[in-house]
Amino acid sequence: MTTFDRTWWKEAVVYQVYPRSFNDSDGDGLGDIPGIIEKVDYLDDLGVDCLWLNPVYDSPGVDNGYDIADYRSILDEFGTMDDWETLRDELHKRDIKLIMDLVVNHTSDEHTWFLNSQSSGDSDFREYYWWREGRDPEETDLDPEDYDTPDDVNEVPPNDWQSFFGGPAWSYDEDSGEWYLHIFDERMPDLNWETEAVRDEVFEMMEWWFDKGIDGFRMDVINLISKPDGLPNSDDPEAIVRGAGQFVNGPRVHDYLEELHDRVLDEEAMTVGEMAELSVEEARQYTGRDGDGMSMVFTFDHMRLDMTDAGRWSYREWSPQELKETMTHWQEGLADEGWNSLFLNNHDEPRQVSRFGDDEYYRRESAKMLATLLHTLRGTPYIYQGEELGMTNYPFDSLEEVRDVDTIKNVRAARKSGRIDDADVMDLVRYRTRDNARTPMQWNDSTHAGFTESEATPWMPVNPNKDDINAKDARDDPESIWHYYRDLISLRKERDVLVYGDYDLRLEDHENLWVYTRTLEEDSLLVVLNFAGEETRFDPPSDLRGEAADLLISNYESDIVSVETTVLRPWEARVYDLH
Ligand code: NOJ
């Protein structure tokens, strides 16, 4: 008797492609869809089941495609709709699903909805966005100097909210004399989900993509779509992003998502909601039994461990113990309902081996150890392009090399407010910038790592370590990180326990070891991970000591016949198959 319902997206391993940086087929220095098509066999060989494509829609590219000007067309530089259809078909032929990015908290300021809403103050389109009158500075605590308005306008915005990209969340529009809301860049105005026509437009657009044969959506910042009535001031004026407390998990977000579910999603559709600032209880409301019907969420508690209360543009040491506690909290919290997404990096985060492993002395071992973690926890593993090669952060020398709007604006704001010292800026940028993830994929050791032709200029510099870290070499070397990922992916297909098994933490208080079992009916695995670049003694829990076992997978050679006390090598990962 089985105690679980099979669901494709629980069993899947998802591979994330950031199109600009994946593969450039036409030598303009920017990756494109035909470039992805050339690599579909590569993805198939790796064994992944689903591709998450970061935005490829028409866009002015203020935030590399997260500013969409037309949801139903493909950005010229990336190719055509025919190319996209070929990609879809090539993936589907190989049984690889395709999920698209859904960015509907905001649009680009070049979207016709915004242009219409801007030019005709009284049209229906005005209500598609958040247009409001400003306030007299005298009646507020806000300083007009902090806002960009013409000299003859002495106003501050409707409330004190700030943007995630630094600076105010409102911009003044000279033509209409009103302000509009943008939680991200000023060129990314927030849609007003209160307006029924906005919901209709979004739902129709989603249906249009489903009719084109996609398998689901990754939903960008989806827990920000509901803003509270009256757009009140922040409840915490000292917050890093003032106002976030008002618009994160806003009052009607569940109504909107339930409506979306009922109107658009069928049983098979996969949805993964990107949701910062989320508790386990809230995650259940989105994904649980009586929730809004989302498949799973991306949460970020584990991405905060190396920050102080001052947020992203700060640094503190993280400890393996904290990582274990945080992720265990989510494993346990979504054990009976809801589902986890497993990731340690993506296009918004630095490279995982540089951040959580050791990219200098034990790159190979630590990259494999982290992969073992992600593929043996309960949830759906996500691989961000290049992770399977153990790609590392980029050695940025100066801010001029940084392209990312978030880094540039936040560093400016943090410097202005004195939150970062000038002396620390480059260390922090090197450690934290999203551009670490956005350097070109390293296919081989040629001039631009095979990302583009040798005479082209890639939009981001190639990491100089491409001679040692590249797909060609990795595929030729049976001991490589790439082969290890492939083995992990194929194990998940063989063993239901890796997908559906219960997670039980053991040796809870150990500082450097993360030890857990996965159990499904009679099938049981023991996972032992050494989160240290030094030898660490492993004393098995007494009930498991002496148990007969094989080594299912490991990043080191060992002869195992049972679970015994042993000394684990730096970053060693072992998965014992218990009999
Ligand atoms: C989250 C996306 O992952 C990020 O890249 C983007 O800048 C923001 N949402 C705004 O859309």
PDB file of all heavy atoms in Angstrom, residues 63 66 103 106 165 184 188 218 220-221 274 347-348 434 438, ligand 1:
ATOM      1  N   ASP A  63      15.373  45.721 -15.552  1.00  0.00           N
ATOM      2  CA  ASP A  63      15.690  44.686 -14.565  1.00  0.00           C
ATOM      3  C   ASP A  63      15.794  43.333 -15.289  1.00  0.00           C
ATOM      4  O   ASP A  63      15.226  42.337 -14.843  1.00  0.00           O
ATOM      5  CB  ASP A  63      14.605  44.674 -13.475  1.00  0.00           C
ATOM      6  CG  ASP A  63      14.954  43.756 -12.311  1.00  0.00           C
ATOM      7  OD1 ASP A  63      16.153  43.408 -12.148  1.00  0.00           O
ATOM      8  OD2 ASP A  63      14.028  43.377 -11.562  1.00  0.00           O
ATOM      9  N   TYR A  66      12.472  41.500 -15.900  1.00  0.00           N
ATOM     10  CA  TYR A  66      11.420  41.527 -14.871  1.00  0.00           C
ATOM     11  C   TYR A  66      10.577  42.795 -15.004  1.00  0.00           C
ATOM     12  O   TYR A  66       9.726  43.076 -14.162  1.00  0.00           O
ATOM     13  CB  TYR A  66      12.012  41.358 -13.465  1.00  0.00           C
ATOM     14  CG  TYR A  66      12.299  39.896 -13.206  1.00  0.00           C
ATOM     15  CD1 TYR A  66      13.560  39.365 -13.430  1.00  0.00           C
ATOM     16  CD2 TYR A  66      11.279  39.037 -12.818  1.00  0.00           C
ATOM     17  CE1 TYR A  66      13.803  38.013 -13.250  1.00  0.00           C
ATOM     18  CE2 TYR A  66      11.508  37.688 -12.631  1.00  0.00           C
ATOM     19  CZ  TYR A  66      12.769  37.177 -12.850  1.00  0.00           C
ATOM     20  OH  TYR A  66      12.999  35.844 -12.678  1.00  0.00           O
ATOM     21  N   VAL A 103       5.356  37.588 -14.030  1.00  0.00           N
ATOM     22  CA  VAL A 103       5.728  38.807 -13.296  1.00  0.00           C
ATOM     23  C   VAL A 103       4.547  39.762 -13.367  1.00  0.00           C
ATOM     24  O   VAL A 103       4.384  40.517 -14.325  1.00  0.00           O
ATOM     25  CB  VAL A 103       6.987  39.459 -13.921  1.00  0.00           C
ATOM     26  CG1 VAL A 103       7.490  40.586 -13.026  1.00  0.00           C
ATOM     27  CG2 VAL A 103       8.065  38.416 -14.145  1.00  0.00           C
ATOM     28  N   HIS A 106       4.033  43.901 -11.077  1.00  0.00           N
ATOM     29  CA  HIS A 106       4.330  45.164 -11.768  1.00  0.00           C
ATOM     30  C   HIS A 106       4.502  44.882 -13.254  1.00  0.00           C
ATOM     31  O   HIS A 106       4.648  43.724 -13.661  1.00  0.00           O
ATOM     32  CB  HIS A 106       5.611  45.782 -11.199  1.00  0.00           C
ATOM     33  CG  HIS A 106       6.710  44.773 -11.007  1.00  0.00           C
ATOM     34  ND1 HIS A 106       6.926  44.128  -9.812  1.00  0.00           N
ATOM     35  CD2 HIS A 106       7.622  44.256 -11.868  1.00  0.00           C
ATOM     36  CE1 HIS A 106       7.931  43.277  -9.933  1.00  0.00           C
ATOM     37  NE2 HIS A 106       8.380  43.334 -11.185  1.00  0.00           N
ATOM     38  N   PHE A 165      14.554  48.251  -4.277  1.00  0.00           N
ATOM     39  CA  PHE A 165      15.807  48.606  -4.951  1.00  0.00           C
ATOM     40  C   PHE A 165      16.439  49.865  -4.345  1.00  0.00           C
ATOM     41  O   PHE A 165      17.340  50.461  -4.929  1.00  0.00           O
ATOM     42  CB  PHE A 165      15.564  48.825  -6.456  1.00  0.00           C
ATOM     43  CG  PHE A 165      15.346  47.553  -7.243  1.00  0.00           C
ATOM     44  CD1 PHE A 165      14.943  47.615  -8.575  1.00  0.00           C
ATOM     45  CD2 PHE A 165      15.558  46.304  -6.680  1.00  0.00           C
ATOM     46  CE1 PHE A 165      14.748  46.447  -9.321  1.00  0.00           C
ATOM     47  CE2 PHE A 165      15.366  45.139  -7.409  1.00  0.00           C
ATOM     48  CZ  PHE A 165      14.959  45.217  -8.736  1.00  0.00           C
ATOM     49  N   PHE A 184       9.498  48.249  -6.866  1.00  0.00           N
ATOM     50  CA  PHE A 184      10.867  48.025  -7.379  1.00  0.00           C
ATOM     51  C   PHE A 184      11.289  49.317  -8.100  1.00  0.00           C
ATOM     52  O   PHE A 184      11.028  50.400  -7.584  1.00  0.00           O
ATOM     53  CB  PHE A 184      10.910  46.757  -8.243  1.00  0.00           C
ATOM     54  CG  PHE A 184      10.662  45.519  -7.410  1.00  0.00           C
ATOM     55  CD1 PHE A 184       9.388  45.020  -7.208  1.00  0.00           C
ATOM     56  CD2 PHE A 184      11.717  44.893  -6.745  1.00  0.00           C
ATOM     57  CE1 PHE A 184       9.159  43.918  -6.394  1.00  0.00           C
ATOM     58  CE2 PHE A 184      11.500  43.791  -5.920  1.00  0.00           C
ATOM     59  CZ  PHE A 184      10.224  43.305  -5.755  1.00  0.00           C
ATOM     60  N   MET A 188       9.169  50.338 -13.108  1.00  0.00           N
ATOM     61  CA  MET A 188       8.408  49.090 -12.926  1.00  0.00           C
ATOM     62  C   MET A 188       7.187  49.367 -12.030  1.00  0.00           C
ATOM     63  O   MET A 188       7.143  48.960 -10.871  1.00  0.00           O
ATOM     64  CB  MET A 188       9.317  48.022 -12.294  1.00  0.00           C
ATOM     65  CG  MET A 188      10.489  47.642 -13.194  1.00  0.00           C
ATOM     66  SD  MET A 188      11.893  46.919 -12.307  1.00  0.00           S
ATOM     67  CE  MET A 188      11.291  45.320 -11.862  1.00  0.00           C
ATOM     68  N   ARG A 218       6.449  30.076 -12.506  1.00  0.00           N
ATOM     69  CA  ARG A 218       7.134  30.563 -11.302  1.00  0.00           C
ATOM     70  C   ARG A 218       6.607  31.985 -11.115  1.00  0.00           C
ATOM     71  O   ARG A 218       6.644  32.792 -12.033  1.00  0.00           O
ATOM     72  CB  ARG A 218       8.645  30.542 -11.540  1.00  0.00           C
ATOM     73  CG  ARG A 218       9.479  31.136 -10.405  1.00  0.00           C
ATOM     74  CD  ARG A 218       9.807  32.574 -10.677  1.00  0.00           C
ATOM     75  NE  ARG A 218      10.734  33.118  -9.687  1.00  0.00           N
ATOM     76  CZ  ARG A 218      11.007  34.407  -9.593  1.00  0.00           C
ATOM     77  NH1 ARG A 218      10.460  35.270 -10.413  1.00  0.00           N
ATOM     78  NH2 ARG A 218      11.849  34.843  -8.681  1.00  0.00           N
ATOM     79  N   ASP A 220       6.634  35.518  -9.675  1.00  0.00           N
ATOM     80  CA  ASP A 220       7.526  36.527  -9.121  1.00  0.00           C
ATOM     81  C   ASP A 220       6.848  37.320  -7.992  1.00  0.00           C
ATOM     82  O   ASP A 220       5.713  37.789  -8.171  1.00  0.00           O
ATOM     83  CB  ASP A 220       7.896  37.483 -10.268  1.00  0.00           C
ATOM     84  CG  ASP A 220       9.004  38.432  -9.899  1.00  0.00           C
ATOM     85  OD1 ASP A 220      10.124  37.965  -9.675  1.00  0.00           O
ATOM     86  OD2 ASP A 220       8.744  39.650  -9.850  1.00  0.00           O
ATOM     87  N   VAL A 221       7.554  37.492  -6.888  1.00  0.00           N
ATOM     88  CA  VAL A 221       7.085  38.280  -5.724  1.00  0.00           C
ATOM     89  C   VAL A 221       5.561  38.271  -5.570  1.00  0.00           C
ATOM     90  O   VAL A 221       4.942  39.321  -5.347  1.00  0.00           O
ATOM     91  CB  VAL A 221       7.625  39.732  -5.746  1.00  0.00           C
ATOM     92  CG1 VAL A 221       9.122  39.744  -5.574  1.00  0.00           C
ATOM     93  CG2 VAL A 221       7.265  40.505  -7.020  1.00  0.00           C
ATOM     94  N   GLU A 274       7.231  32.884  -5.488  1.00  0.00           N
ATOM     95  CA  GLU A 274       8.402  33.479  -4.834  1.00  0.00           C
ATOM     96  C   GLU A 274       7.888  34.381  -3.715  1.00  0.00           C
ATOM     97  O   GLU A 274       7.164  35.343  -3.976  1.00  0.00           O
ATOM     98  CB  GLU A 274       9.201  34.297  -5.851  1.00  0.00           C
ATOM     99  CG  GLU A 274      10.516  34.750  -5.263  1.00  0.00           C
ATOM    100  CD  GLU A 274      11.022  36.052  -5.846  1.00  0.00           C
ATOM    101  OE1 GLU A 274      10.216  36.829  -6.403  1.00  0.00           O
ATOM    102  OE2 GLU A 274      12.220  36.315  -5.737  1.00  0.00           O
ATOM    103  N   HIS A 347      19.165  33.243  -9.718  1.00  0.00           N
ATOM    104  CA  HIS A 347      19.688  34.426 -10.415  1.00  0.00           C
ATOM    105  C   HIS A 347      19.780  35.663  -9.525  1.00  0.00           C
ATOM    106  O   HIS A 347      20.312  36.680  -9.953  1.00  0.00           O
ATOM    107  CB  HIS A 347      18.816  34.714 -11.633  1.00  0.00           C
ATOM    108  CG  HIS A 347      17.423  35.122 -11.228  1.00  0.00           C
ATOM    109  ND1 HIS A 347      16.537  34.272 -10.602  1.00  0.00           N
ATOM    110  CD2 HIS A 347      16.773  36.296 -11.336  1.00  0.00           C
ATOM    111  CE1 HIS A 347      15.417  34.912 -10.341  1.00  0.00           C
ATOM    112  NE2 HIS A 347      15.531  36.145 -10.785  1.00  0.00           N
ATOM    113  N   ASP A 348      19.211  35.598  -8.303  1.00  0.00           N
ATOM    114  CA  ASP A 348      19.242  36.747  -7.397  1.00  0.00           C
ATOM    115  C   ASP A 348      20.226  36.569  -6.256  1.00  0.00           C
ATOM    116  O   ASP A 348      20.270  37.407  -5.347  1.00  0.00           O
ATOM    117  CB  ASP A 348      17.857  36.959  -6.757  1.00  0.00           C
ATOM    118  CG  ASP A 348      16.818  37.429  -7.741  1.00  0.00           C
ATOM    119  OD1 ASP A 348      17.191  38.079  -8.733  1.00  0.00           O
ATOM    120  OD2 ASP A 348      15.629  37.143  -7.514  1.00  0.00           O
ATOM    121  N   ARG A 434      23.920  40.128  -7.125  1.00  0.00           N
ATOM    122  CA  ARG A 434      23.223  39.143  -7.947  1.00  0.00           C
ATOM    123  C   ARG A 434      24.016  38.853  -9.221  1.00  0.00           C
ATOM    124  O   ARG A 434      23.831  37.808  -9.842  1.00  0.00           O
ATOM    125  CB  ARG A 434      21.833  39.675  -8.349  1.00  0.00           C
ATOM    126  CG  ARG A 434      21.018  40.222  -7.205  1.00  0.00           C
ATOM    127  CD  ARG A 434      19.570  40.388  -7.560  1.00  0.00           C
ATOM    128  NE  ARG A 434      19.291  41.446  -8.518  1.00  0.00           N
ATOM    129  CZ  ARG A 434      18.066  41.806  -8.883  1.00  0.00           C
ATOM    130  NH1 ARG A 434      17.024  41.192  -8.361  1.00  0.00           N
ATOM    131  NH2 ARG A 434      17.854  42.775  -9.752  1.00  0.00           N
ATOM    132  N   ARG A 438      25.164  35.856 -12.674  1.00  0.00           N
ATOM    133  CA  ARG A 438      24.741  36.220 -14.028  1.00  0.00           C
ATOM    134  C   ARG A 438      25.886  36.254 -15.028  1.00  0.00           C
ATOM    135  O   ARG A 438      25.704  36.645 -16.175  1.00  0.00           O
ATOM    136  CB  ARG A 438      24.009  37.567 -13.970  1.00  0.00           C
ATOM    137  CG  ARG A 438      22.785  37.472 -13.073  1.00  0.00           C
ATOM    138  CD  ARG A 438      22.066  38.774 -12.880  1.00  0.00           C
ATOM    139  NE  ARG A 438      20.888  38.586 -12.016  1.00  0.00           N
ATOM    140  CZ  ARG A 438      19.992  39.510 -11.762  1.00  0.00           C
ATOM    141  NH1 ARG A 438      20.111  40.718 -12.294  1.00  0.00           N
ATOM    142  NH2 ARG A 438      18.968  39.258 -10.974  1.00  0.00           N
TER     143      ARG A 438
HETATM  144  C1  NOJ B   1      12.278  38.795  -8.021  1.00  0.00           C
HETATM  145  C2  NOJ B   1      13.133  38.435  -9.186  1.00  0.00           C
HETATM  146  O1  NOJ B   1      13.671  37.161  -8.982  1.00  0.00           O
HETATM  147  C3  NOJ B   1      14.186  39.508  -9.302  1.00  0.00           C
HETATM  148  O2  NOJ B   1      15.193  39.177 -10.212  1.00  0.00           O
HETATM  149  C4  NOJ B   1      13.482  40.802  -9.663  1.00  0.00           C
HETATM  150  O3  NOJ B   1      14.417  41.860  -9.637  1.00  0.00           O
HETATM  151  C5  NOJ B   1      12.360  41.137  -8.693  1.00  0.00           C
HETATM  152  N1  NOJ B   1      11.567  39.991  -8.341  1.00  0.00           N
HETATM  153  C6  NOJ B   1      11.426  42.161  -9.288  1.00  0.00           C
HETATM  154  O4  NOJ B   1      10.648  41.581 -10.295  1.00  0.00           O
END
